[in-house]
């Protein structure tokens, strides 16, 4: 992991440690994935934000290189 992986939460510049994987089923095919990076503090917020919109969402530990 490098310092360039920042959390996707607006205004947060913390190092990301997890991936929030989601898609909008109205516009994305089932095999399409969108990935937001999240720090430990904001992973729950980002997950809940997407889940409240009824988007399929999961969290993956770590970051892909």
């Amino acid at each position: 992991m490098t310092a360039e992986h920042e959390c996707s939460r607006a205004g947060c510049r913390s190092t990301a440690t997890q991936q929030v994987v989601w898609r909008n089923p109205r516009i994305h095919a089932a095999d399409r994935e969108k990935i937001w990076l999240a720090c430990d503090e904001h992973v729950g917020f980002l997950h809940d934000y997407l889940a409240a919109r009824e988007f399929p969402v999961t969290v993956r530990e770590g970051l892909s290189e």
Side-chain angles (χ1 to χ4, degrees):
M1 183 171 63
T2 64
E4 64 198 47
H5 296 301
E6 290 183 351
C7 180
S8 296
R9 172 76 163 111
C12 183
R13 296 295 168 245
S14 296
T15 301
T17 58
Q18 301 178 63
Q19 301 174 59
V20 180
V21 183
W22 65 281
R23 70 181 177 90
N24 180 339
R26 289 180 292 258
I27 61 173
H28 298 135
D31 62 341
R32 172 83 188 265
E33 289 185 339
K34 303 284 284 180
I35 299 174
W36 286 350
L37 301 180
C39 66
D40 292 337
E41 180 180 352
H42 292 120
V43 68
F45 173 86
L46 293 171
H47 176 277
D48 294 348
Y49 177 87
L50 295 163
R53 286 149 182 80
E54 299 182 358
F55 294 166
V57 59
T58 58
V59 174
R60 293 183 190 151
E61 295 292 325
L63 303 177
S64 301
E65 292 300 320

